[in-house]
């Protein structure tokens, strides 16, 4: 390190002397400090006179170092400063430096030899002394802790004797806090006095809590009575804390309960009683209220089905109750929420929900005329809310009651919409067998189309003949519930016409939802009856079609009455296809069930097994005749329930499709026969002629069944084939152009001729 310093000095010629002087000064300071330190150590140990004079040796070494430094400085000056001759004797200087280093090492070894062991011994003594001091301090802390606990426990006894319950509770908490803080790392459970103090404190705290509860129940009393004669109930609450002394004692009790963490145990049953026995009956209007001095009484039957008070009177009784309760239960608590605030935190959420559910919600009017009266209830709600907030029962940020009460338009719209949908659903679930017959010539008086005056001429093209019954709903029967649904929809639209824009839009869409609800509820709720009762399916079909017919023009009647929808024409036309689709599905499902019933009836008749009969059994089985008779009887039953219920054209198409399904099944079975005897042919003709004879009665007053029964001509040709000779069949075939060729293909005719006329082994 010293050679590096020299090189640094030599590299900076112009400041060589200044660096050298600073270097020498620092070295002297270091050496002087080292000598002083050694002298102090020897003096402290008391061996300075007995040992060598290390200070003198250090001074000698310091002088030698100073001489070496001066010689080096002169050499550097000559070589690098004056650019003179080089150092004459560098070897001597190096030797002197080595000897000085050896003397320094010898001095350090001597110091370590004579003083290091003694310093270690002195350090052990100091550590033992420090441990003793720590033990004394810890003992002093424990003694002070015990003394402080003793003083506080004496203060607790004095406070209990003087009935200063809050002060006693505070002192108990102080002692417990002192005992919770440990004194260093000492295991205080090993010191017998501390467990004894804790047990004594726990015992005193339990006794104090019991004493506080007794005093609370002596001041705050709740009683329940019932008159066995008239079943009238009486609920009363009394708080005897009106006088100054009683008030001071009550405050002291509440603060002591808070200090002993017993207040929650007291408030839980108290709040539950306030909620169930007082506030709930008051909100529901089940009782009357009477307040006098320190007592408040509730009297009534408490029957939820027979409320005794209107919503406005309930608000007055609630204000009376809270005025009484918050006046007597207003107790501030230091460092914690007040008593009424504690009660409010436990009751506020339930109270707001109960007010909305049982008082404000049912009071929302269902008509525009009653909105003004509801505003008075809103004002009373605001007064009650402000009173509860000012008395810390409700938080200032709790806007549940006000937000609900002030949102009059939305509440009114919700109430009316909910009522409409609920009533509509109840109507849809009613029995649909109660019907009314519609006549196209005499529209219903409730039909708004008959009351609408239209002075505008329709742009009908010239020479265009308009049918007499165009745009008229055909004669049929519909359910009375359908008319109730239409009346309900018109009622909703009339309310929407008299309401504000927000309510108007909501109500219009709710009326639309009524018809959407019909499409969902009726087919689902009446599903089993629709499948088993053809008449109900016909009534439901007519009802859906009638609703669709009325909805085509219903929206346009209120175009001028709903300005909120001025940008879009209020219309129900988009619901019409849905209603017609539902009507078609219900009717087609009933038709499918009846058709399957008839085809299964004919399929099991035994027609297809007639050709396999042998010998004397070449006659038709009785099952064939029975099946045909059942088929005709079922058609006759369907005629009774559908004719006059369905519109005439719908009836003809429906009964014609069922008859056609039966005829098609019969034709298919006959075509499958391979051997038809002459006797069987005659029997078939006799049975089939019964169908031909009775079928026109099903379609009266229609002229001919072939208009509605596709297989009618084919069925009659089948009878002709069974009852004719080959010559007649040839004439009716007419080389592929006759009536027989129009109904049957060549293969089918061949099959029947082969089954009727061909000689077989059986016939031979």
């Amino acid at each position: 390190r010293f050679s590096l310093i020299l090189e640094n000095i030599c590299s900076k010629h112009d400041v060589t002397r200044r660096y050298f002087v600073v270097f020498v000064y620092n070295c002297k300071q270091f050496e002087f400090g080292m000598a002083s330190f050694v002298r102090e150590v020897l003096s402290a140990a008391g061996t300075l006179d007995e040992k060598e004079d290390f200070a003198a040796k250090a001074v000698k070494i310091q002088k030698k170092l100073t001489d070496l430094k001066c010689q080096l400085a002169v050499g550097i000056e000559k070589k690098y400063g004056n650019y003179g001759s080089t150092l004459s004797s560098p070897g001597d200087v190096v030797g002197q430096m080595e000897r000085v280093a050896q003397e320094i090492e010898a001095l350090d070894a001597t110091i370590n030899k004579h003083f290091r062991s003694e310093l270690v011994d002195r350090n052990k003594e100091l550590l033992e002394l420090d441990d003793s001091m720590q033990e004394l301090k810890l003992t002093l802390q424990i003694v002070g802790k015990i003394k402080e606990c003793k003083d506080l426990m004496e203060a607790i006894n004095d406070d209990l004797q003087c009935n200063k319950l809050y002060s006693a509770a505070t002192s108990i908490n102080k002692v417990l806090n002192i005992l919770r803080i440990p004194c260093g790392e000492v295991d205080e459970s090993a010191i017998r006095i501390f467990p004894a103090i804790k047990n004594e404190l726990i015992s005193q705290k339990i006794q104090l809590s019991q004493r506080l509860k007794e005093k609370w129940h002596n001041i705050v009393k709740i009683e329940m009575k019932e008159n066995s004669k008239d079943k009238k109930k009486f609920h009363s609450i009394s708080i005897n804390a009106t006088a100054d002394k009683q008030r001071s004692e009550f405050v002291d009790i509440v603060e002591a309960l808070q200090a002993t963490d017993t207040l929650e145990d007291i408030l839980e049953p108290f709040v539950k009683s306030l909620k169930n026995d007082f506030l709930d009956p008051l909100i529901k209007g089940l009782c009357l209220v009477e307040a006098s001095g320190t007592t408040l009484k509730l009297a009534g039957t408490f029957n939820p089905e027979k409320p005794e008070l209107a919503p406005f009177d309930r608000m007055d009784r609630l204000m009376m109750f809270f005025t009484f309760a918050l006046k007597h239960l207003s107790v501030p608590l230091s460092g914690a929420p007040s008593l009424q605030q504690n009660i409010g935190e436990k009751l506020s959420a339930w109270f707001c929900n109960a007010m909305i559910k049982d008082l404000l919600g049912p009071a929302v009017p269902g008509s525009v005329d009653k909105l003004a009266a509801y505003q008075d209830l809103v004002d009373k709600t605001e007064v009650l809310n402000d009173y509860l907030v000012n008395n810390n029962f409700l938080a200032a940020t709790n806007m549940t009651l006000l937000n609900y009460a002030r949102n009059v338009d939305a509440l009114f719209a919700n109430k009316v919409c909910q009522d409409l949908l609920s009533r509509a659903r109840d109507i849809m679930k009613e029995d649909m067998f109660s019907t009314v017959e519609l006549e196209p010539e005499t529209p219903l008086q409730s039909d708004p189309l008959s009351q609408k005056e239209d002075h505008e001429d329709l742009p009908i093209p010239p020479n265009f003949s308009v049918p007499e019954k165009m745009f008229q709903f055909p004669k049929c029967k519909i359910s009375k519930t359908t008319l109730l649904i239409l009346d309900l929809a018109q009622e909703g639209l009339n309310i929407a016409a008299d309401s504000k824009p927000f309510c108007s839009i909501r109500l219009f869409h709710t009326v639309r939802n009524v018809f959407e609800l019909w499409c969902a509820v009726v087919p689902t709720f009446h599903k089993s009856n629709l499948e088993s009762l053809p008449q109900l399916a016909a009534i439901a079909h007519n009802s859906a079609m009638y609703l669709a017919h009325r909805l085509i023009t219903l929206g346009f009647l209120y175009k001028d009455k709903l300005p909120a929808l001025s940008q879009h024409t209020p219309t129900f036309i988009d619901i019409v296809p849905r209603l017609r689709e539902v009507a078609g599905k219900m009717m087609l499902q009933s038709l499918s069930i009846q058709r399957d019933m008839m085809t299964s009836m004919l399929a099991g008749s035994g027609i297809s097994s007639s050709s396999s009969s042998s010998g004397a059994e070449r006659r038709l089985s009785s099952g064939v005749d029975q099946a045909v008779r059942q088929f005709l009887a079922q058609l006759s039953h369907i005629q009774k329930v559908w004719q006059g219920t369905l519109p005439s054209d719908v009836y003809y198409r429906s009964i014609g499709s069922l008859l056609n399904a039966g005829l098609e099944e019969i034709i298919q079975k006959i075509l499958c026969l391979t051997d038809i005897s002459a006797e069987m042919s005659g029997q078939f003709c006799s049975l089939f002629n019964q169908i031909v004879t009775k079928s026109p009665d099903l379609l009266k007053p229609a002229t001919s069944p072939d208009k509605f029964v596709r297989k009618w001509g084919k069925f009659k040709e089948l009878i002709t084939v069974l009852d004719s000779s080959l010559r007649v069949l040839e004439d009716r075939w007419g080389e592929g152009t006759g009536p027989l060729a129009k109904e049957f293909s060549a293969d089918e005719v061949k099959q029947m001729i082969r089954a009727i006329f061909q000689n077989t082994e059986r016939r031979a």
Side-chain angles (χ1 to χ4, degrees):
R1 184 179 299 174
F2 187 74
S3 62
L4 291 175
I5 295 173
L6 290 178
E7 290 178 4
N8 190 25
I9 294 173
C10 296
S11 64
K12 299 179 181 179
H13 310 291
D14 52 339
V15 290
T16 301
R17 294 181 182 277
R18 184 175 59 183
Y19 283 150
F20 180 76
V21 172
V22 173
F23 174 79
V24 172
Y25 175 78
N26 290 334
C27 289
K28 287 183 178 181
Q29 292 294 328
F30 171 77
E31 292 161 0
F32 178 77
M34 182 177 177
S36 301
F37 172 77
V38 173
R39 183 180 296 277
E40 290 176 0
V41 171
L42 293 175
S43 300
T47 57
L48 183 61
D49 297 335
E50 299 175 2
K51 307 296 178 181
E52 298 182 26
D53 190 357
F54 295 107
K57 286 187 176 183
V59 171
K60 290 180 182 180
I61 293 172
Q62 180 181 357
K63 289 181 179 180
K64 291 179 181 180
L65 287 173
T66 303
D67 293 339
L68 290 173
K69 294 172 186 175
C70 292
Q71 293 178 18
L72 285 173
V74 172
I76 291 169
E77 180 71 20
K78 288 181 179 181
K79 185 174 181 179
Y80 296 101
N82 300 327
Y83 300 98
S85 60
T86 58
L87 188 63
S88 60
S89 57
D92 296 338
V93 175
V94 172
Q96 293 177 11
M97 289 178 65
E98 291 178 352
R99 288 192 293 274
V100 170
Q102 292 175 357
E103 291 179 4
I104 292 173
E105 292 176 357
L107 180 61
D108 181 64
T110 304
I111 292 173
N112 290 333
K113 178 181 178 182
H114 289 285
F115 301 107
R116 185 173 298 277
S117 60
E118 294 183 5
L119 288 174
V120 172
D121 295 337
R122 299 299 183 269
N123 186 36
K124 290 181 180 179
E125 293 177 1
L126 289 174
L127 291 175
E128 292 175 357
L129 181 61
D130 182 67
D131 292 340
S132 300
M133 291 295 295
Q134 293 296 331
E135 290 179 1
L136 290 174
K137 288 181 180 179
L138 189 58
T139 303
L140 182 61
Q141 288 181 3
I142 293 174
V143 172
K145 188 173 183 177
I146 294 173
K147 180 182 182 302
E148 191 173 359
C149 291
K150 174 183 174 298
D151 295 340
L152 287 173
M153 292 183 70
E154 290 179 355
I156 292 170
N157 293 328
D158 295 339
D159 292 336
L160 291 176
Q161 291 177 0
C162 299
N163 204 27
K164 297 179 180 179
L165 303 180
Y166 176 64
S167 178
T170 305
S171 299
I172 290 175
N173 288 336
K174 288 181 180 179
V175 177
L176 290 175
N177 290 333
I178 292 172
L179 294 177
R180 290 191 189 101
I181 302 174
C183 294
E185 299 180 355
V186 177
D187 184 10
E188 295 184 355
S189 61
I191 304 174
R192 289 182 296 174
I193 192 171
F194 284 118
I197 293 174
K198 289 181 180 179
N199 294 334
E200 179 64 21
L201 279 175
I202 293 172
S203 176
Q204 287 186 348
K205 189 173 183 179
I206 293 174
Q207 293 177 3
L208 179 59
S209 299
Q210 293 176 349
R211 187 173 175 181
L212 289 171
K213 290 179 181 179
E214 291 176 0
K215 287 185 172 291
W216 169 273
H217 291 301
N218 290 335
I219 295 175
V220 182
K221 298 179 180 180
I222 296 177
E223 296 180 354
M224 309 291 172
K225 296 180 181 180
E226 182 176 359
N227 191 335
S228 58
K229 294 181 179 180
D230 55 3
K231 303 296 183 180
K232 206 169 186 179
K233 297 179 181 180
F234 300 91
H235 297 178
S236 65
I237 177 173
S238 59
I239 304 175
N240 299 316
T242 54
D244 294 340
K245 185 177 180 180
Q246 293 175 334
R247 183 67 181 173
S248 176
E249 182 182 359
F250 182 63
V251 171
D252 189 64
I253 291 171
V254 175
E255 290 178 339
L257 287 170
Q258 174 67 23
T260 56
D261 299 327
T262 317
L263 186 60
E264 290 294 325
D265 298 336
I266 288 288
L267 289 183
E268 185 175 354
F270 178 69
V271 168
K272 184 178 180 180
S273 180
L274 287 181
K275 179 175 70 174
N276 297 331
D277 301 327
F278 293 91
L279 285 175
D280 188 62
L282 287 173
I283 292 173
K284 294 179 179 178
L286 307 180
C287 58
L288 302 176
V289 184
E290 179 183 351
S292 60
T294 61
T295 305
L296 183 137
K297 295 181 180 180
L298 272 63
T301 58
F302 293 86
N303 186 356
E305 298 179 358
K306 297 180 180 180
E308 299 183 10
L309 298 174
F312 299 96
D313 297 328
R314 297 182 204 177
M315 297 296 292
D316 295 334
R317 301 305 186 274
L318 283 170
M319 179 62 77
M320 185 185 301
F321 172 81
F322 280 113
T323 302
F324 170 84
L326 297 180
K327 175 184 176 182
H328 293 86
L329 297 176
S330 177
V331 178
L333 298 174
S334 57
S338 61
L339 178 61
Q340 69 270 28
Q341 193 170 351
N342 272 319
I343 296 174
E345 289 176 356
K346 293 174 173 56
L347 277 176
S348 58
W350 171 87
F351 174 74
C352 293
N353 292 332
M355 285 285 290
I356 292 171
K357 179 182 177 182
D358 299 322
L359 198 155
L360 295 177
V364 175
S367 62
V368 182
D369 301 336
K370 298 179 181 179
L371 281 176
Y374 181 75
Q375 186 60 42
D376 297 337
L377 185 63
V378 174
D379 297 338
K380 287 192 175 185
T381 304
E382 292 179 352
V383 172
L384 177 63
N385 186 85
D386 293 341
Y387 181 80
L388 296 179
V389 170
N390 293 334
N391 287 274
N392 297 323
F393 182 83
L394 287 181
T397 57
N398 190 340
M399 302 294 290
T400 305
L401 285 178
L402 294 182
N403 290 340
Y404 184 87
R406 290 172 179 172
N407 196 11
V408 179
D409 292 339
L411 292 176
F412 172 71
N414 291 339
K415 178 71 175 290
V416 177
C417 294
Q418 182 179 357
D419 182 60
L420 284 174
L421 292 174
S422 178
R423 289 167 58 190
R425 190 172 184 274
D426 293 338
I427 292 172
M428 295 169 194
K429 292 166 64 176
E430 292 180 4
D431 192 357
M432 298 182 68
F433 282 105
S434 180
T435 60
V436 60
E437 186 172 357
L438 297 180
E439 295 287 347
E441 292 80 12
T442 57
L444 295 174
Q445 295 180 355
S446 60
D447 190 351
L449 288 175
S450 62
Q451 304 171 4
K452 176 82 173 174
E453 294 183 2
D454 190 4
H455 300 286
E456 297 182 1
D457 295 331
L458 293 175
I460 300 176
N463 301 325
F464 181 81
S465 59
V466 179
E468 181 181 356
K469 295 184 179 181
M470 190 173 186
F471 305 121
Q472 288 185 351
F473 195 74
K475 180 181 178 180
C476 64
K477 292 181 180 180
I478 65 171
S479 174
K480 288 184 178 180
T481 58
T482 306
L483 300 180
L484 295 177
I485 291 293
L486 284 172
D487 293 340
L488 186 65
Q490 293 176 27
E491 179 184 343
L493 291 173
N494 291 331
I495 297 175
D498 298 332
S499 303
K500 295 181 180 179
F502 172 78
C503 301
S504 178
I505 296 173
R506 286 282 307 275
L507 287 170
F508 172 75
H509 289 285
T510 301
V511 172
R512 287 174 52 87
N513 291 336
V514 167
F515 298 103
E516 295 283 356
L517 189 66
W518 195 96
C519 295
V521 171
V522 171
T524 304
F525 185 80
H526 301 281
K527 181 178 180 181
S528 59
N529 289 333
L530 290 173
E531 292 176 352
S532 59
L533 302 175
Q535 184 180 12
L536 187 64
I539 294 172
H541 165 269
N542 296 344
S543 299
M545 296 300 289
Y546 182 67
L547 289 176
H549 173 75
R550 291 293 302 276
L551 291 186
I552 293 175
T553 56
L554 182 60
F556 296 100
L557 298 175
Y558 291 88
K559 179 179 180 181
D560 300 330
K561 298 179 181 180
L562 298 174
L565 298 171
S566 57
Q567 296 181 355
H568 306 283
T569 302
T571 180
F572 298 90
I573 293 179
D574 56 317
I575 307 177
V576 171
R578 174 78 188 282
L579 283 167
R580 289 176 176 172
E581 180 184 2
V582 171
K585 284 183 178 180
M586 291 188 292
M587 192 62 195
L588 289 175
Q589 186 178 17
S590 179
L591 279 172
S592 177
I593 293 172
Q594 297 301 321
R595 182 173 60 250
D596 293 342
M597 184 188 303
M598 293 179 183
T599 54
S600 63
M601 188 186 303
L602 293 171
S605 63
I607 296 177
S608 58
S609 60
S610 298
S611 62
S612 61
S613 302
S614 61
E617 299 179 359
R618 299 299 299 277
R619 298 175 59 85
L620 289 177
S621 64
S622 60
V624 178
D625 181 68
Q626 184 179 359
V628 172
R629 293 181 184 278
Q630 287 181 353
F631 170 65
L632 293 174
Q634 184 65 21
L635 286 175
S636 178
H637 171 70
I638 296 296
Q639 178 190 17
K640 292 178 181 179
V641 297
W642 277 359
Q643 196 169 31
T645 300
L646 288 170
S648 58
D649 58 338
V650 177
Y651 166 74
Y652 291 145
R653 289 197 300 270
S654 300
I655 198 72
S657 67
L658 294 179
L659 178 58
N660 185 77
L663 298 181
E664 190 173 6
E665 181 69 19
I666 293 173
I667 294 171
Q668 188 66 29
K669 295 297 181 183
I670 296 297
L671 291 175
C672 294
L673 296 177
T674 58
D675 187 5
I676 304 174
S677 65
E679 189 174 359
M680 290 175 59
S681 297
Q683 291 176 349
F684 277 134
C685 290
S686 176
L687 284 175
F688 296 163
N689 282 324
Q690 292 181 24
I691 297 176
V692 174
T693 302
K694 295 182 179 180
S695 293
D697 295 337
L698 301 174
L699 299 167
K700 285 182 178 180
T703 56
S704 176
D706 56 358
K707 181 178 180 181
F708 304 103
V709 184
R710 290 190 301 109
K711 299 296 182 179
W712 183 256
K714 190 170 186 178
F715 183 69
K716 292 186 71 176
E717 286 297 323
L718 175 64
I719 298 174
T720 302
V721 171
L722 292 173
D723 194 31
S724 300
S725 62
L726 286 173
R727 174 66 63 184
V728 174
L729 294 180
E730 183 180 3
D731 293 339
R732 295 193 68 80
W733 179 257
E735 297 182 358
T737 59
L740 181 60
K742 292 181 180 178
E743 302 296 341
F744 291 95
S745 65
D747 293 336
E748 292 174 340
V749 173
K750 290 178 183 179
Q751 174 66 22
M752 288 189 293
I753 291 174
R754 187 179 296 111
I756 297 171
F757 299 104
Q758 183 178 356
N759 287 328
T760 62
E761 294 180 359
R762 182 183 300 174
R763 292 180 182 178

